[in-house]
Short mmCIF file of all heavy atoms in Angstrom, two decimals:
data_model
loop_
_atom_site.label_atom_id
_atom_site.label_comp_id
_atom_site.label_asym_id
_atom_site.label_seq_id
_atom_site.Cartn_x
_atom_site.Cartn_y
_atom_site.Cartn_z
N ARG A 1 -2.27 20.91 4.21
CA ARG A 1 -1.05 21.76 4.25
C ARG A 1 -1.33 23.10 4.63
O ARG A 1 -2.25 23.85 4.21
CB ARG A 1 -0.51 21.86 2.77
CG ARG A 1 0.48 20.70 2.44
CD ARG A 1 0.95 20.87 1.05
NE ARG A 1 2.11 20.04 0.74
CZ ARG A 1 2.51 19.75 -0.51
NH1 ARG A 1 1.93 20.21 -1.50
NH2 ARG A 1 3.63 19.07 -0.62
N GLY A 2 -0.50 23.62 5.56
CA GLY A 2 -0.63 24.93 6.11
C GLY A 2 -1.59 25.05 7.29
O GLY A 2 -1.70 26.10 7.94
N HIS A 3 -2.41 23.97 7.48
CA HIS A 3 -3.41 23.94 8.59
C HIS A 3 -3.05 23.04 9.69
O HIS A 3 -3.71 23.05 10.69
CB HIS A 3 -4.73 23.61 8.03
CG HIS A 3 -5.22 24.49 6.84
ND1 HIS A 3 -5.68 25.81 7.09
CD2 HIS A 3 -5.32 24.28 5.54
CE1 HIS A 3 -6.03 26.35 5.97
NE2 HIS A 3 -5.84 25.43 4.91
N VAL A 4 -2.00 22.26 9.49
CA VAL A 4 -1.56 21.30 10.48
C VAL A 4 0.01 21.27 10.34
O VAL A 4 0.61 21.78 9.40
CB VAL A 4 -2.07 19.86 10.35
CG1 VAL A 4 -3.54 19.81 10.48
CG2 VAL A 4 -1.61 19.25 9.07
N ARG A 5 0.66 20.70 11.42
CA ARG A 5 2.07 20.45 11.33
C ARG A 5 2.38 18.96 11.32
O ARG A 5 1.75 18.21 12.06
CB ARG A 5 2.75 21.19 12.52
CG ARG A 5 2.63 22.66 12.58
CD ARG A 5 3.50 23.29 13.59
NE ARG A 5 4.92 23.32 13.22
CZ ARG A 5 5.85 23.92 13.90
NH1 ARG A 5 5.69 24.51 15.05
NH2 ARG A 5 7.19 23.89 13.47
N LEU A 6 3.33 18.54 10.51
CA LEU A 6 3.75 17.13 10.48
C LEU A 6 4.60 16.89 11.78
O LEU A 6 5.47 17.66 12.12
CB LEU A 6 4.60 16.90 9.27
CG LEU A 6 3.88 16.97 7.92
CD1 LEU A 6 4.97 16.81 6.84
CD2 LEU A 6 2.83 15.87 7.80
N VAL A 7 4.29 15.75 12.44
CA VAL A 7 5.03 15.42 13.62
C VAL A 7 5.97 14.35 13.26
O VAL A 7 7.22 14.48 13.34
CB VAL A 7 4.08 14.96 14.76
CG1 VAL A 7 4.91 14.51 16.02
CG2 VAL A 7 3.05 16.04 15.12
N ALA A 8 5.50 13.15 12.91
CA ALA A 8 6.43 12.06 12.49
C ALA A 8 5.62 10.93 11.79
O ALA A 8 4.30 11.01 11.83
CB ALA A 8 7.06 11.44 13.74
N THR A 9 6.30 10.17 11.04
CA THR A 9 5.60 9.08 10.33
C THR A 9 6.02 7.73 10.84
O THR A 9 7.21 7.42 10.93
CB THR A 9 5.92 9.19 8.83
OG1 THR A 9 5.49 10.54 8.33
CG2 THR A 9 5.26 8.10 7.94
N PRO A 10 5.06 6.87 11.11
CA PRO A 10 5.42 5.48 11.64
C PRO A 10 6.03 4.65 10.56
O PRO A 10 5.67 4.69 9.48
CB PRO A 10 4.14 4.92 12.30
CG PRO A 10 3.04 5.73 11.47
CD PRO A 10 3.64 7.11 11.19
N GLU A 11 6.98 3.78 10.98
CA GLU A 11 7.57 2.76 10.10
C GLU A 11 6.98 1.43 10.59
O GLU A 11 7.01 1.15 11.77
CB GLU A 11 9.02 2.78 10.15
CG GLU A 11 9.73 4.07 9.60
CD GLU A 11 11.18 3.99 9.52
OE1 GLU A 11 11.70 2.87 9.63
OE2 GLU A 11 11.78 4.97 9.33
N TYR A 12 6.57 0.60 9.63
CA TYR A 12 5.89 -0.70 10.07
C TYR A 12 6.75 -1.78 9.52
O TYR A 12 7.54 -1.70 8.47
CB TYR A 12 4.44 -0.78 9.51
CG TYR A 12 3.59 0.26 10.19
CD1 TYR A 12 3.31 1.51 9.66
CD2 TYR A 12 2.91 -0.06 11.37
CE1 TYR A 12 2.40 2.37 10.26
CE2 TYR A 12 2.07 0.77 11.92
CZ TYR A 12 1.78 2.01 11.39
OH TYR A 12 0.94 2.87 11.99
N ASP A 13 6.63 -2.95 10.17
CA ASP A 13 7.37 -4.14 9.84
C ASP A 13 6.47 -5.15 9.11
O ASP A 13 6.21 -6.19 9.56
CB ASP A 13 8.01 -4.67 11.13
CG ASP A 13 8.98 -5.88 10.83
OD1 ASP A 13 9.62 -5.81 9.74
OD2 ASP A 13 9.14 -6.73 11.71
N TYR A 14 5.97 -4.71 7.93
CA TYR A 14 5.17 -5.55 7.07
C TYR A 14 5.71 -5.62 5.68
O TYR A 14 6.28 -4.62 5.20
CB TYR A 14 3.71 -4.94 7.04
CG TYR A 14 2.90 -5.26 8.25
CD1 TYR A 14 2.19 -4.28 8.96
CD2 TYR A 14 2.71 -6.63 8.67
CE1 TYR A 14 1.44 -4.53 10.08
CE2 TYR A 14 1.94 -6.88 9.85
CZ TYR A 14 1.29 -5.85 10.48
OH TYR A 14 0.54 -6.17 11.60
N PRO A 15 5.37 -6.63 4.98
CA PRO A 15 5.76 -6.70 3.53
C PRO A 15 5.14 -5.47 2.83
O PRO A 15 3.91 -5.11 3.09
CB PRO A 15 5.12 -8.00 3.05
CG PRO A 15 5.10 -8.95 4.25
CD PRO A 15 4.85 -7.92 5.38
N GLY A 16 5.91 -4.82 1.90
CA GLY A 16 5.39 -3.65 1.19
C GLY A 16 5.85 -2.39 1.88
O GLY A 16 5.75 -1.36 1.24
N CYS A 17 6.48 -2.51 3.02
CA CYS A 17 7.02 -1.31 3.72
C CYS A 17 8.55 -1.23 3.61
O CYS A 17 9.16 -2.27 3.81
CB CYS A 17 6.62 -1.30 5.22
SG CYS A 17 4.85 -1.26 5.48
N VAL A 18 9.05 -0.07 3.28
CA VAL A 18 10.44 0.24 3.33
C VAL A 18 10.60 1.56 4.13
O VAL A 18 10.35 2.62 3.56
CB VAL A 18 11.03 0.33 1.90
CG1 VAL A 18 12.57 0.65 1.99
CG2 VAL A 18 10.86 -0.97 1.17
N GLY A 19 11.22 1.44 5.25
CA GLY A 19 11.27 2.64 6.13
C GLY A 19 9.85 3.28 6.34
O GLY A 19 8.90 2.56 6.53
N PRO A 20 9.74 4.60 6.09
CA PRO A 20 8.42 5.21 6.20
C PRO A 20 7.61 5.13 4.90
O PRO A 20 6.55 5.66 4.88
CB PRO A 20 8.77 6.72 6.52
CG PRO A 20 10.17 6.88 5.73
CD PRO A 20 10.87 5.55 5.89
N LEU A 21 8.10 4.42 3.85
CA LEU A 21 7.36 4.31 2.64
C LEU A 21 6.63 2.98 2.65
O LEU A 21 6.97 2.09 3.30
CB LEU A 21 8.33 4.34 1.44
CG LEU A 21 9.27 5.50 1.35
CD1 LEU A 21 10.13 5.35 0.02
CD2 LEU A 21 8.56 6.83 1.28
N LYS A 22 5.53 3.03 1.93
CA LYS A 22 4.67 1.81 1.87
C LYS A 22 3.95 1.90 0.51
O LYS A 22 3.79 2.79 -0.18
CB LYS A 22 3.63 1.84 2.91
CG LYS A 22 2.53 2.86 2.91
CD LYS A 22 1.55 2.83 4.00
CE LYS A 22 0.51 3.84 3.91
NZ LYS A 22 -0.43 3.61 2.81
N CYS A 23 3.53 0.58 0.17
CA CYS A 23 2.81 0.40 -1.12
C CYS A 23 1.37 -0.12 -0.77
O CYS A 23 1.01 -0.22 0.38
CB CYS A 23 3.50 -0.56 -2.09
SG CYS A 23 3.46 -2.25 -1.53
N SER A 24 0.69 -0.41 -1.83
CA SER A 24 -0.68 -1.06 -1.74
C SER A 24 -0.55 -2.34 -2.55
O SER A 24 0.15 -2.44 -3.49
CB SER A 24 -1.79 -0.16 -2.23
OG SER A 24 -1.98 0.91 -1.34
N PHE A 25 -1.37 -3.36 -2.10
CA PHE A 25 -1.52 -4.54 -2.87
C PHE A 25 -2.76 -4.56 -3.72
O PHE A 25 -3.83 -4.36 -3.18
CB PHE A 25 -1.50 -5.77 -1.90
CG PHE A 25 -0.21 -5.98 -1.07
CD1 PHE A 25 -0.28 -6.28 0.25
CD2 PHE A 25 0.98 -5.76 -1.57
CE1 PHE A 25 0.83 -6.49 0.97
CE2 PHE A 25 2.14 -5.85 -0.97
CZ PHE A 25 2.07 -6.26 0.41
N VAL A 26 -2.59 -4.97 -4.94
CA VAL A 26 -3.74 -5.01 -5.79
C VAL A 26 -4.33 -6.44 -5.69
O VAL A 26 -3.61 -7.38 -6.03
CB VAL A 26 -3.32 -4.68 -7.31
CG1 VAL A 26 -4.51 -4.86 -8.23
CG2 VAL A 26 -2.81 -3.30 -7.44
N VAL A 27 -5.51 -6.54 -5.26
CA VAL A 27 -6.11 -7.89 -5.05
C VAL A 27 -7.23 -8.15 -6.01
O VAL A 27 -8.03 -7.16 -6.35
CB VAL A 27 -6.65 -8.01 -3.61
CG1 VAL A 27 -5.46 -7.90 -2.63
CG2 VAL A 27 -7.74 -7.04 -3.29
N VAL A 28 -7.44 -9.37 -6.37
CA VAL A 28 -8.55 -9.88 -7.17
C VAL A 28 -9.12 -11.10 -6.57
O VAL A 28 -8.55 -11.65 -5.65
CB VAL A 28 -8.01 -10.18 -8.61
CG1 VAL A 28 -7.42 -8.97 -9.30
CG2 VAL A 28 -6.98 -11.27 -8.62
N PRO A 29 -10.36 -11.49 -7.08
CA PRO A 29 -10.93 -12.79 -6.50
C PRO A 29 -10.01 -13.90 -6.72
O PRO A 29 -9.32 -14.02 -7.72
CB PRO A 29 -12.18 -12.98 -7.34
CG PRO A 29 -12.57 -11.57 -7.74
CD PRO A 29 -11.23 -10.82 -8.03
N LYS A 30 -9.87 -14.83 -5.72
CA LYS A 30 -8.94 -15.83 -5.64
C LYS A 30 -9.08 -16.80 -6.92
O LYS A 30 -8.05 -17.29 -7.44
CB LYS A 30 -9.13 -16.64 -4.41
CG LYS A 30 -8.01 -17.76 -4.14
CD LYS A 30 -8.17 -18.30 -2.74
CE LYS A 30 -6.98 -19.28 -2.41
NZ LYS A 30 -7.13 -19.81 -1.16
N GLU A 31 -10.34 -17.04 -7.32
CA GLU A 31 -10.52 -17.96 -8.33
C GLU A 31 -10.81 -17.29 -9.76
O GLU A 31 -11.19 -17.90 -10.68
CB GLU A 31 -11.75 -18.89 -8.05
CG GLU A 31 -11.66 -19.65 -6.71
CD GLU A 31 -10.35 -20.56 -6.74
OE1 GLU A 31 -10.05 -21.06 -7.81
OE2 GLU A 31 -9.83 -20.74 -5.61
N SER A 32 -10.46 -15.97 -9.73
CA SER A 32 -10.69 -15.29 -11.05
C SER A 32 -9.61 -15.55 -12.11
O SER A 32 -8.60 -16.12 -11.84
CB SER A 32 -10.73 -13.76 -10.76
OG SER A 32 -9.40 -13.30 -10.46
N ARG A 33 -9.88 -15.12 -13.32
CA ARG A 33 -8.96 -15.26 -14.50
C ARG A 33 -7.75 -14.28 -14.47
O ARG A 33 -6.87 -14.44 -15.20
CB ARG A 33 -9.64 -15.20 -15.68
CG ARG A 33 -10.36 -13.81 -15.99
CD ARG A 33 -10.96 -13.65 -17.34
NE ARG A 33 -11.58 -12.39 -17.47
CZ ARG A 33 -10.97 -11.27 -17.83
NH1 ARG A 33 -9.65 -11.30 -18.05
NH2 ARG A 33 -11.54 -10.10 -17.98
N PHE A 34 -7.94 -13.25 -13.60
CA PHE A 34 -6.92 -12.12 -13.69
C PHE A 34 -5.58 -12.58 -13.18
O PHE A 34 -5.40 -13.07 -12.08
CB PHE A 34 -7.45 -10.90 -12.78
CG PHE A 34 -8.82 -10.49 -13.25
CD1 PHE A 34 -9.86 -10.57 -12.35
CD2 PHE A 34 -9.17 -9.95 -14.47
CE1 PHE A 34 -11.16 -10.07 -12.62
CE2 PHE A 34 -10.36 -9.50 -14.82
CZ PHE A 34 -11.38 -9.65 -13.92
N GLN A 35 -4.59 -12.29 -14.00
CA GLN A 35 -3.23 -12.61 -13.69
C GLN A 35 -2.28 -11.44 -13.72
O GLN A 35 -1.26 -11.26 -13.03
CB GLN A 35 -2.65 -13.72 -14.60
CG GLN A 35 -3.44 -15.01 -14.56
CD GLN A 35 -3.34 -15.72 -13.26
OE1 GLN A 35 -2.36 -15.56 -12.49
NE2 GLN A 35 -4.37 -16.44 -12.86
N THR A 36 -2.57 -10.48 -14.64
CA THR A 36 -1.73 -9.24 -14.80
C THR A 36 -2.60 -8.03 -14.80
O THR A 36 -3.90 -8.13 -14.81
CB THR A 36 -0.96 -9.30 -16.12
OG1 THR A 36 -1.93 -9.27 -17.23
CG2 THR A 36 -0.14 -10.61 -16.23
N LEU A 37 -1.98 -6.89 -14.66
CA LEU A 37 -2.74 -5.68 -14.76
C LEU A 37 -3.51 -5.51 -16.08
O LEU A 37 -4.67 -5.03 -16.07
CB LEU A 37 -1.82 -4.44 -14.59
CG LEU A 37 -1.25 -4.18 -13.17
CD1 LEU A 37 -0.21 -2.97 -13.31
CD2 LEU A 37 -2.33 -3.93 -12.20
N ALA A 38 -2.89 -5.92 -17.13
CA ALA A 38 -3.52 -5.77 -18.44
C ALA A 38 -4.81 -6.57 -18.45
O ALA A 38 -5.77 -6.16 -19.16
CB ALA A 38 -2.59 -6.36 -19.56
N ASP A 39 -4.92 -7.72 -17.73
CA ASP A 39 -6.16 -8.50 -17.65
C ASP A 39 -7.28 -7.69 -17.02
O ASP A 39 -8.49 -8.10 -17.21
CB ASP A 39 -5.94 -9.73 -16.87
CG ASP A 39 -4.89 -10.72 -17.55
OD1 ASP A 39 -4.76 -10.64 -18.67
OD2 ASP A 39 -4.31 -11.50 -16.78
#
């Protein structure tokens, strides 16, 4: 901040994206016991 200028933010056509907003996917080993965040 203050050292660069914002130009624009790309929007992507992927699950997890809404306009210029995006999330991350929480991944675990496929065969693990984890089902929820609490786990």
